[in-house]
């Protein structure tokens, strides 16, 4: 059973960067594709981006282009997402999730518990 | 990006009722459509993949149907634990998008 454990809550000032982690257990990170989804307070789910199962590269939502850096470290079995130049609009709970695919049809199967990022001056 | 529109945005129902939630895509997406349930303060949970494939451990009162642009999540005989928010998600495009959610409340 895959488990994803995310890092703790963060408070950042506008313009700062934040780096979140997502530690994998129960499976090897090398066999997983991790994506990130966020949810602003009282709002719906917004896909941020992740590793593409087709080529292993990263792909981001256009609205996040240029501000998101996704990496992973197989030695620590953890995935990371760094968001730069944050504003109050980036205040949200950030989830990591694994992508599973069946015949090219991909969905989010396992989810982390979420990390609250608050951006406030 | 492919736009996903759910209806209704909210729904009141009673235990034992049958409810349906609609999800419409802005272009044809085949069966690249998945459904999630989210309860307050919790991560979403995958219910149905590829339009109609029920995930292991999900009660059979949940079912999904549709292809192309129109999809439906149906819950027969609502149970107290089913009151939650439901989201659809498309993966036809590598730029994934979610519906805005449907909140299912107790009447």
């Amino acid at each position: 059973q895959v488990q994803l454990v995310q890092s703790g809550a963060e408070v950042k000032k506008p313009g700062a960067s934040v780096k979140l982690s997502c530690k994998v257990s129960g499976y090897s990170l090398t066999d997983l594709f991790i994506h990130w989804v966020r949810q602003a307070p009282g709002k719906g789910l917004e896909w941020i981006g992740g590793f593409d199962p087709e080529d292993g590269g990263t792909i981001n939502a256009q609205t996040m282009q240029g501000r998101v850096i996704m990496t992973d470290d197989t030695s620590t079995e953890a995935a990371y997402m760094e968001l730069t130049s944050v504003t109050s609009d980036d205040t949200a709970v950030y989830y990591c999730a694994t992508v599973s695919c069946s015949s090219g049809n991909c969905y989010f199967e396992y989810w982390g518990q979420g990390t609250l990022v608050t951006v406030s001056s | 990006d492919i736009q996903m529109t759910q209806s209704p945005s909210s729904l009141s129902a009673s235990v034992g009722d049958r409810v349906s939630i609609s999800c419409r895509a802005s272009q044809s997406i085949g069966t690249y459509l998945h459904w999630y349930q989210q309860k307050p303060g919790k991560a979403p949970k995958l219910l149905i993949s590829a339009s109609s494939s029920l995930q292991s451990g999900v009660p059979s009162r949940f079912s999904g149907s549709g292809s192309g642009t129109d999809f439906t999540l149906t819950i027969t005989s609502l149970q107290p634990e089913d009151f939650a928010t439901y989201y659809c998600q498309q993966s036809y495009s590598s730029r994934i998008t979610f519906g805005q959610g449907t909140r299912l409340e107790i009447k």
Side-chain angles (χ1 to χ4, degrees):
Chain A
Q1 176 86 352
V2 176
Q3 288 196 319
L4 305 177
V5 178
Q6 297 185 233
S7 48
E10 302 265 8
V11 179
K12 294 292 180 182
K13 294 192 182 303
S17 296
V18 62
K19 188 171 184 177
L20 309 181
S21 69
C22 173
K23 186 162 177 58
V24 175
S25 62
Y27 217 81
S28 174
L29 181 61
T30 56
D31 296 325
L32 296 173
F33 298 94
I34 300 292
H35 281 226
W36 296 83
V37 174
R38 71 180 181 179
Q39 187 169 37
K43 302 297 185 182
L45 302 172
E46 179 186 15
W47 174 73
I48 296 170
F51 290 92
D52 189 340
E54 289 205 357
D55 61 14
T58 57
I59 184 165
N60 305 322
Q62 294 225 320
T63 54
M64 312 294 291
Q65 205 82 23
R67 289 205 301 134
V68 176
I69 304 164
M70 287 172 290
T71 57
D72 62 19
D73 183 344
T74 53
S75 67
T76 58
E77 295 288 311
Y80 300 89
M81 186 205 68
E82 184 174 12
L83 183 61
T84 63
S85 304
V86 298
T87 71
S88 57
D89 290 341
D90 295 315
T91 294
V93 174
Y94 288 73
Y95 295 102
C96 61
T98 64
V99 170
S100 296
C101 299
S102 175
S103 301
N105 202 340
C106 302
Y107 45 87
F108 301 121
E109 187 167 10
Y110 298 100
W111 294 71
Q113 83 278 18
T115 296
L116 174 62
V117 174
T118 303
V119 181
S120 174
S121 54
Chain B
D1 289 356
I2 298 174
Q3 305 302 314
M4 306 301 295
T5 303
Q6 289 183 230
S7 60
S9 295
S10 64
L11 178 58
S12 293
S14 301
V15 172
D17 283 354
R18 172 189 171 109
V19 299
S20 292
I21 297 169
S22 172
C23 177
R24 177 165 288 180
S26 61
Q27 67 179 73
S28 181
I29 59 170
T31 58
Y32 287 65
L33 188 284
H34 320 290
W35 290 98
Y36 301 84
Q37 176 194 67
Q38 186 180 33
K39 296 182 179 179
K42 299 294 186 182
K45 172 188 174 183
L46 178 67
L47 297 177
I48 289 171
S49 63
S51 179
S52 61
S53 181
L54 196 67
Q55 294 303 292
S56 175
V58 176
S60 59
R61 62 181 179 272
F62 290 90
S63 64
S65 64
S67 66
T69 60
D70 293 307
F71 302 86
T72 302
L73 172 69
T74 300
I75 313 171
T76 58
S77 189
L78 273 171
Q79 297 302 300
E81 60 268 28
D82 299 337
F83 293 94
T85 301
Y86 293 85
Y87 294 93
C88 61
Q89 172 242 317
Q90 66 79 22
S91 59
Y92 180 84
S93 166
S94 54
R95 287 205 155 84
I96 290 165
T97 46
F98 289 91
Q100 82 278 15
T102 294
R103 184 175 178 180
L104 177 55
E105 300 174 315
I106 300 176
K107 186 183 287 183

